[in-house]
Amino acid sequence: MKVPIIMLGSVSELQGYIDKTQLTEDLGGTLDYCHNRWLSRRTAIEGFAQKVKQTAQILQSFGTELAETELPNDVQSTSSLLATHTEKKDKMKEDIRVAVEQGDDILGSITKPVTENPEYKLNQDQLDNQTTVERLLAQLHETETAFDEFWIKHQQKLEQCLRLRNFEQDFREVKAALDIVSERLSAFTDVGNSRSHVEHILKDLANFEEKSHETVAKARMLASERDAFIQSNHYAVDSIIPKCSELHHLCDAFTTETERRRNLLNKSLELHDLLEKSMKWCDEGIYLLASQPVDKCQSQDGAESALQEIEKFLDTGAGNKIKELNKIYREYAHILNEDLKDHVQKVFQKQESMEEMFQKRQVSLKKLAAKQTRPVQPVAPRPEAFVKSPCTSPGLQRENVSNSESSALRRVNYRKAKSDVTELHQSRGGSTMDDEENLAVLRQHVMNELIETERAYVEELLCVLEGYAAEMDNPLMAHLISPELQNKKDILFGNMEEIYHFHNRIFLRELETYIEYPELVGRCFLDQMEDFQIYEKYCQNKPRSESLWRQFSDSVFFQECQRKLDHKLSLDSYLLKPVQRITKYQLLLKEMLKYSKNCEGAEDLQEALTSILGILKAVNDSMHQIAITGYDGNLNELGKLLMQGSFNVWTDHKKGHTKVKDLARFKPMQRHLFLHEKAVLFCKKREENGEGYEKAPSYSYKHSLNMAAVGITENVKGDAKKFEIWYNAREEVYIIQAPTPEVKATWVNEIRKVLTSQLQACREASQHRTLEQTQSLPLPLPASSCASPSRNHIRNTKKMEEKKADLPSVEGCGTTAAPKYPEKGKGWAKPSQSLDASEENDGWSSAEEPLNSSDAEEEGGGGGEMKLTPGKYTVVTDYDKGVSEEFTVKSGDLVQLIREGEDGLWFVKNLSSGREGWIPANNLLMLIGNSKSAQSLSSSESGTASSNLSTSSSCSDSCNVSSTSFSDIKG
């Protein structure tokens, strides 16, 4: 096809061929067109179309991701997933917003000429661009709308999942808490053994219920969310409803069980109220019987008045006594355990016994009121007629029979015995208002008081242990305990738990077995006497406990515990209970003994009273002992503490500084002495400032004397309160002045016992060692001395037994074994003879044979210097300081005395080694010899009857001394 080509030379020529409306302005036309603008607009439209396409693809991909996401199983993961998806959604929404703004800008630029000039008409190209942009914007809005709808559903599902996970987590926590409180509730199985115990358990239950209220309320609130889940059309409502139902069930079960426990305890409280009323009524009845005077009841008016008192009292029993035992069993069957059932039986038996006593009293009074025509002089029955009958009981044989059999047997015999007594008294004139019946009533009253106060004491200990001690380990109370008080429970409460278990498990139960035989209760104390030693440990810890309490008495913890227990008194009052209780026993035993003088168990009661007083003394002594300061050793190694007390002390040391010796007797020292089995300690008493136990004195240790080297002089001229303690054959002498002669006598007797026991131990050890030596080294002996030692030994043994049986005025026992430095006037003629002499005199001195009389020395009397005769001796101690360095002897060696030298030295031959040398005489003990100095004792020239006990050498050395070698003599 041929196209004509026209060459134009000007714009006007161009306009002749093309209309101006089709030409652009630069060609003289009216067409609004800019090529650059068209290019940029076209580029923008194509970019916007691409943006819309990409956005749609991203939204599609994100939607697919959300739809395929698995829901997590825990709260944290679900929360994280929801946050992540929400963040991505927000980013998508931002991209869509940016794309929409971009499209709106392009559309605005296209329609701008029309906006500026309404008469302006868009050309076809502009119209096409406008249509394209509007279509893309509509597509973008549709995509955004679809995404929003999908997101709403996805977000709702995630939020429901998160709510479900929170519910499941709360369910697990609440269920665990309900399980814990249910388990603790199940521990409230005890129905109590007394009214106070039941009240304490009820308070604990109320406190527990108050603490558990928050857990139960939270569980019920969580269970109530079931309806909210159902209303919100939760996707997992099928798994939520069973859990809510389970929570409702657990809460209802807990509430029901709590109410059941409370009802049981209220029922137990009701029963204990009834039992206490019955016990109180019985006690009042016993008081009434005991308070009716015998003499006034002998008259007709007096008997009628007593009858009216009894009838009036019996009328009060309608609301106080147990009427039918089986009815009680039926009514309270669901709370009656074995212990409570036994308690009910005992109360009922006591009630029956008391009513039986009233019936007998009524019969007696009616006879007196009916038959009495003239006054009758009341005559007390002869005690020998009733010594055994009212008190004899087969309870003595209770170890050989079962508890139930022995109890029944005791009841039968006890009632029979009382019946026999009543009949006997009636046959003697109809006067049954006798002293023995009153004594039996009084004994029963003391026994009731003992058991009731014991039960109350056990309850108080339990209350302290549960209300204070246990709470110190309670995590819920930990924030109330100051750091300084933590881990101090053992100091504050000592061994109170050990005391509680002893009384609750052992002593109280044993006491209750004697309830019908109070006169035999002394045996119960004797059987458990060793266990009462635990009080010594508690009392020794009491000062530390008291000090700790004073530091923290204002603690919020103690105040909160006291509030929960509803105690009017603070903890320190209850910490004093064990100290008060151990002192109470001796008072009750004294009362029981006063009313049981002619009864079978009187001796046991007296022994039990003595033992309890001994424990109190030991406790008191130990409280002083722990206050000793400055002693380097272990006080426990000194043996049992026997005595302690304050004295005036003078010193009179023979071997010391002249100044001390000269000034010794002018001014006494105040010293507190502690007598142990192995030593006597001298301490200085120092008063401390403070309050309570902190004000208790302390004792500064000064020095001590080994009892193995101590002797005593019982009487000091001029003062009946003085005695002497001397050491190492009077090298050191301490004059002791007691507060009273009685205190002096007690101390002297106790020291005598210690020294006598040491002497006996030394004799036994000496005989054993001598036997070993004679078996290994036999020696021929003169025939003249063959028989007497063994006969003397037998005679002395019998003499010792006789003197132990009858010892009204024994003065002392000489046990001095070889003093190191013999002095004039010391009493013993020879140190080597001391043990022989004590054997010959059987350890007890007399007025005619004073042993080691220091009284004689003070009055100027005394024997001559020590004399020995040649013979065979045994060595007491090792010796290696002779004139010849090669000559040594050891304890137990046999030596032959050859001749006497100067300064108390003897030339001897060691028969064991064959060597010879010089050795002091005080290291020897004669085995064979006929010198009178070897068989005699020096006596006091003063004529005083005082005597001394001594073990001037160590006990170990003394035990090596052989008085006589019987096997050697026979050989």
Side-chain angles (χ1 to χ4, degrees):
M1 183 179 97
K2 295 182 180 181
V3 178
I5 299 174
I6 302 174
M7 300 296 292
L8 301 176
S10 63
V11 173
S12 59
E13 292 180 359
L14 179 61
Q15 292 176 352
Y17 290 95
I18 300 173
D19 191 81
K20 288 183 178 182
T21 59
Q22 300 296 321
L23 294 174
T24 60
E25 293 178 354
D26 57 340
L27 294 178
T30 61
L31 180 65
D32 185 14
Y33 173 77
C34 177
H35 189 65
N36 290 333
R37 185 175 59 190
W38 181 84
L39 287 175
S40 63
R41 183 172 295 167
R42 191 65 191 176
T43 303
I45 292 172
E46 291 179 356
F48 176 63
Q50 185 67 27
K51 179 72 172 177
V52 171
K53 182 180 180 180
Q54 290 178 353
T55 300
Q57 291 177 348
I58 292 175
L59 289 176
Q60 180 67 29
S61 175
F62 182 54
T64 303
E65 179 185 348
L66 295 182
E68 295 177 353
T69 301
E70 293 184 2
L71 298 178
N73 293 323
D74 59 276
V75 174
Q76 185 175 359
S77 299
T78 305
S79 300
S80 177
L81 181 63
L82 180 59
T84 302
H85 284 187
T86 303
E87 183 180 357
K88 289 183 178 181
K89 184 268 297 183
D90 293 339
K91 188 175 183 302
M92 293 293 100
K93 293 288 290 184
E94 180 65 21
D95 291 343
I96 293 174
R97 187 188 64 78
V98 171
V100 170
E101 288 181 355
Q102 183 181 353
D104 290 340
D105 291 342
I106 295 173
L107 184 62
S109 64
I110 294 175
T111 59
K112 182 177 181 182
V114 178
T115 303
E116 293 176 352
N117 184 12
E119 297 179 356
Y120 181 80
K121 293 183 179 180
L122 298 176
N123 57 32
Q124 188 63 39
D125 185 57
Q126 289 176 329
L127 291 174
D128 293 341
N129 288 339
Q130 181 181 0
T131 301
T132 301
V133 173
E134 288 176 349
R135 178 176 57 78
L136 290 172
L137 283 172
Q139 182 181 351
L140 188 60
H141 283 302
E142 290 176 359
T143 304
E144 182 181 12
T145 301
F147 175 74
D148 287 342
E149 292 177 357
F150 174 78
W151 170 254
I152 290 173
K153 294 180 181 180
H154 181 73
Q155 184 182 28
Q156 182 182 9
K157 189 173 183 180
L158 284 179
E159 289 176 348
Q160 287 184 346
C161 179
L162 179 61
R163 187 178 177 187
L164 174 64
R165 300 300 178 241
N166 280 319
F167 172 81
E168 291 175 344
Q169 179 174 322
D170 292 341
F171 173 79
R172 287 191 294 269
E173 293 176 355
V174 169
K175 188 175 182 302
L178 283 176
D179 291 341
I180 291 175
V181 296
S182 297
E183 183 179 355
R184 291 180 179 176
L185 179 62
S186 64
F188 283 85
T189 57
D190 196 354
V191 293
N193 51 28
S194 68
R195 176 183 175 83
S196 60
H197 191 194
V198 177
E199 290 176 345
H200 179 68
I201 297 175
L202 278 171
K203 289 179 182 179
D204 288 345
L205 182 61
N207 293 333
F208 169 73
E209 189 176 8
E210 182 181 352
K211 293 177 182 178
S212 305
H213 176 73
E214 183 179 353
T215 299
V216 176
K218 186 176 180 181
R220 292 193 182 279
M221 183 179 296
L222 185 63
S224 65
E225 294 182 6
R226 178 183 64 177
D227 296 336
F229 280 107
I230 294 175
Q231 292 175 2
S232 63
N233 296 319
H234 196 282
Y235 70 90
V237 68
D238 293 339
S239 65
I240 293 174
I241 292 177
K243 290 184 173 62
C244 293
S245 300
E246 184 179 358
L247 289 178
H248 277 300
H249 174 72
L250 290 174
C251 291
D252 293 341
F254 175 79
T255 303
T256 303
E257 181 64 17
T258 303
E259 191 64 26
R260 189 183 75 84
R261 299 282 182 184
R262 185 184 294 105
N263 292 336
L264 287 177
L265 290 172
N266 286 330
K267 203 70 177 174
S268 177
L269 187 63
E270 179 182 325
L271 176 60
H272 282 292
D273 281 339
L274 178 60
L275 295 177
E276 287 192 1
K277 286 182 180 179
S278 178
M279 291 286 289
K280 184 178 180 181
W281 185 65
C282 292
D283 290 340
E284 290 174 353
I286 293 173
Y287 274 120
L288 176 60
L289 292 178
S291 62
Q292 288 184 337
V294 178
D295 53 348
K296 291 184 179 180
C297 294
Q298 301 301 318
S299 65
Q300 186 173 3
D301 292 340
E304 291 177 352
S305 175
L307 270 174
Q308 291 177 359
E309 287 181 352
I310 291 176
E311 290 172 355
K312 183 178 179 181
F313 174 78
L314 291 177
D315 291 340
T316 64
N320 295 321
K321 68 177 183 178
I322 302 174
K323 298 179 181 178
E324 296 182 20
L325 189 60
N326 291 332
K327 184 179 178 181
I328 296 293
Y329 288 162
R330 289 194 302 271
E331 184 176 355
Y332 299 98
H334 49 294
I335 65 169
L336 282 177
N337 52 33
E338 290 298 325
D339 292 337
L340 192 53
K341 194 172 182 179
D342 290 342
H343 185 41
V344 173
Q345 289 177 347
K346 290 176 181 177
V347 172
F348 188 71
Q349 290 169 4
K350 178 179 180 180
Q351 179 181 296
E352 284 185 327
S353 300
M354 193 272 294
E355 290 178 333
E356 182 181 353
M357 294 169 63
F358 268 85
Q359 291 172 2
K360 292 181 179 180
R361 180 66 64 87
Q362 283 179 308
V363 171
S364 301
L365 291 173
K366 286 178 181 178
K367 290 182 179 180
L368 290 173
K371 296 180 180 180
Q372 186 96 18
T373 57
R374 60 184 177 82
V376 177
Q377 180 67 27
V379 179
R382 296 175 61 188
E384 60 269 16
F386 311 106
V387 168
K388 294 184 178 180
S389 59
C391 300
T392 304
S393 166
L396 292 171
Q397 308 295 331
R398 64 187 181 90
E399 292 85 1
N400 300 326
V401 295
S402 65
N403 289 337
S404 60
E405 293 173 346
S406 62
S407 178
L409 188 60
R410 285 197 299 267
R411 288 196 296 271
V412 171
N413 284 281
Y414 182 73
R415 293 174 183 174
K416 182 177 183 302
K418 289 189 64 177
S419 177
D420 294 341
V421 173
T422 302
E423 293 174 1
L424 179 59
H425 288 176
Q426 291 174 351
S427 66
R428 293 181 59 179
S431 177
T432 60
M433 300 292 293
D434 53 85
D435 292 340
E436 183 54 45
E437 184 177 357
N438 286 338
L439 290 176
V441 172
L442 293 172
R443 285 196 298 270
Q444 191 63 50
H445 164 63
V446 175
M447 190 65 189
N448 292 338
E449 181 182 359
L450 174 60
I451 292 180
E452 291 305 315
T453 55
E454 184 71 13
R455 288 172 180 162
Y457 174 55
V458 169
E459 289 302 319
E460 288 171 341
L461 292 182
L462 177 63
C463 188
V464 171
L465 291 173
E466 290 185 348
Y468 287 96
E471 290 298 302
M472 292 187 74
D473 298 328
N474 186 354
L476 299 178
M477 300 285 285
H479 65 285
L480 299 178
I481 304 177
S482 60
E484 295 81 4
L485 186 58
Q486 292 179 354
N487 302 322
K488 297 290 181 64
K489 184 172 72 171
D490 292 341
I491 296 177
L492 186 60
F493 299 97
N495 63 331
M496 180 181 284
E497 184 174 358
E498 183 182 6
I499 293 175
Y500 166 73
H501 288 313
F502 162 63
H503 284 272
N504 184 50
R505 298 174 180 175
I506 301 174
F507 190 61
L508 176 57
R509 297 181 182 180
E510 287 295 318
L511 278 180
E512 290 173 342
T513 62
Y514 289 87
I515 189 169
E516 295 184 3
Y517 302 96
E519 65 276 0
L520 302 179
V521 76
R523 189 178 312 143
C524 178
F525 280 88
L526 293 175
D527 290 343
Q528 310 301 330
M529 196 57 64
E530 290 185 4
D531 292 320
F532 280 103
Q533 302 295 333
I534 57 179
Y535 278 90
E536 186 171 341
K537 180 179 178 181
Y538 184 85
C539 293
Q540 287 178 349
N541 180 70
K542 196 68 177 70
R544 299 173 64 201
S545 173
E546 186 76 11
S547 177
L548 184 65
W549 165 254
R550 252 191 300 277
Q551 296 178 42
F552 300 100
S553 58
D554 297 332
S555 171
V556 179
F557 168 77
F558 292 126
Q559 295 176 2
E560 178 64 16
C561 292
Q562 184 176 349
R563 184 191 67 80
K564 290 181 179 180
L565 295 171
D566 195 22
H567 281 177
K568 295 181 181 179
L569 300 177
S570 55
L571 174 61
D572 59 326
S573 300
Y574 291 91
L575 293 177
L576 195 60
K577 293 290 183 181
V579 181
Q580 295 172 337
R581 186 59 183 170
I582 191 63
T583 56
K584 178 72 172 178
Y585 288 129
Q586 55 102 4
L587 299 177
L588 293 171
L589 286 172
K590 285 180 180 177
E591 284 294 305
M592 185 67 76
L593 184 61
K594 182 169 68 174
Y595 305 136
S596 308
K597 292 294 186 182
N598 298 324
C599 290
E600 180 180 0
E603 292 183 1
D604 286 342
L605 284 169
Q606 182 61 58
E607 186 178 352
L609 175 60
T610 303
S611 300
I612 285 291
L613 292 174
I615 288 177
L616 291 176
K617 177 183 177 299
V619 169
N620 181 59
D621 290 346
S622 67
M623 296 294 289
H624 289 273
Q625 181 181 4
I626 62 176
I628 297 176
T629 61
Y631 184 75
D632 294 334
N634 184 356
L635 291 173
N636 294 328
E637 296 178 355
L638 302 182
K640 182 180 178 181
L641 177 61
L642 304 174
M643 303 283 289
Q644 57 84 26
S646 294
F647 299 89
N648 291 329
V649 178
W650 291 266
T651 59
D652 187 10
H653 298 348
K654 302 300 182 183
K655 294 194 175 182
H657 296 292
T658 305
K659 183 177 181 181
V660 175
K661 181 178 178 182
D662 293 341
L663 300 179
R665 295 185 180 271
F666 289 100
K667 185 178 180 181
M669 297 179 291
Q670 301 295 323
R671 289 292 182 263
H672 201 90
L673 272 60
F674 293 85
L675 176 62
H676 292 75
E677 291 177 323
K678 298 182 180 179
V680 56
L681 273 61
F682 289 74
C683 300
K684 184 175 182 179
K685 185 177 181 179
R686 301 185 186 277
E687 296 290 345
E688 300 291 344
N689 296 324
E691 299 179 356
Y693 283 97
E694 290 185 353
K695 196 175 181 180
S698 63
Y699 302 98
S700 179
Y701 170 76
K702 294 301 181 181
H703 65 280
S704 62
L705 303 178
N706 190 336
M707 291 302 294
V710 161
I712 63 168
T713 301
E714 298 185 14
N715 296 319
V716 175
K717 183 179 179 181
D719 194 338
K721 296 183 292 184
K722 288 183 180 179
F723 64 99
E724 286 184 352
I725 297 179
W726 40 273
Y727 192 66
N728 275 347
R730 303 187 65 85
E731 289 181 5
E732 301 176 18
V733 178
Y734 299 89
I735 302 173
I736 312 297
Q737 184 184 47
T740 64
E742 292 76 15
V743 173
K744 168 200 165 180
T746 303
W747 272 73
V748 169
N749 289 337
E750 198 65 39
I751 295 174
R752 182 193 297 125
K753 291 178 184 178
V754 174
L755 299 182
T756 303
S757 63
Q758 290 183 352
L759 172 62
Q760 186 65 27
C762 289
R763 284 176 173 172
E764 294 174 358
S766 175
Q767 292 173 3
H768 178 69
R769 185 176 180 88
T770 301
L771 182 60
E772 291 180 348
Q773 292 174 354
T774 53
Q775 290 175 348
S776 60
L777 196 67
L779 292 174
L781 300 176
S784 61
S785 61
C786 288
S788 60
S790 59
R791 289 196 299 267
N792 288 340
H793 175 72
I794 296 172
R795 183 180 68 253
N796 291 340
T797 301
K798 293 181 179 179
K799 188 188 298 183
M800 173 68 80
E801 293 176 353
E802 293 173 357
K803 290 191 176 184
K804 285 183 179 178
D806 183 16
L807 203 60
S809 60
V810 175
E811 293 288 341
C813 170
T815 63
T816 305
K820 293 182 179 180
Y821 299 97
E823 299 178 19
K824 293 183 179 181
K826 289 303 180 186
W828 290 111
K830 299 173 184 56
S832 61
Q833 184 60 26
S834 60
L835 193 57
D836 286 353
S838 64
E839 295 265 358
E840 188 70 26
N841 288 278
D842 201 33
W844 298 103
S845 66
S846 64
E848 294 146 1
E849 295 178 329
L851 305 182
N852 282 344
S853 175
S854 61
D855 293 344
E857 176 197 2
E858 289 183 335
E859 300 205 9
E865 290 192 4
M866 177 174 52
K867 297 294 183 181
L868 294 176
T869 58
K872 293 182 180 180
Y873 292 78
T874 184
V875 178
V876 177
T877 60
D878 294 345
Y879 185 79
D880 56 358
K881 298 180 180 180
V883 177
S884 175
E885 296 180 356
E886 296 181 355
F887 181 77
T888 61
V889 292
K890 295 182 179 179
S891 177
D893 286 351
L894 290 174
V895 295
Q896 177 74 42
L897 270 69
I898 299 176
R899 64 179 182 275
E900 183 180 6
E902 298 177 354
D903 298 326
L905 296 178
W906 277 76
F907 188 78
V908 299
K909 179 178 181 180
N910 190 336
L911 299 179
S912 301
S913 62
R915 298 182 180 276
E916 297 178 347
W918 293 93
I919 186 171
N922 60 336
N923 285 35
L924 305 174
L925 176 67
M926 182 166 60
L927 290 177
I928 302 173
N930 52 12
S931 170
K932 65 177 181 179
S933 62
Q935 302 292 337
S936 63
L937 300 173
S938 66
S939 61
S940 171
E941 299 292 343
S942 63
T944 61
S946 63
S947 59
N948 301 321
L949 281 171
S950 169
T951 54
S952 299
S953 63
S954 67
C955 186
S956 60
D957 292 340
S958 301
C959 292
N960 291 330
V961 178
S962 173
S963 58
T964 49
S965 178
F966 303 133
S967 59
D968 287 353
I969 293 172
K970 293 178 181 180

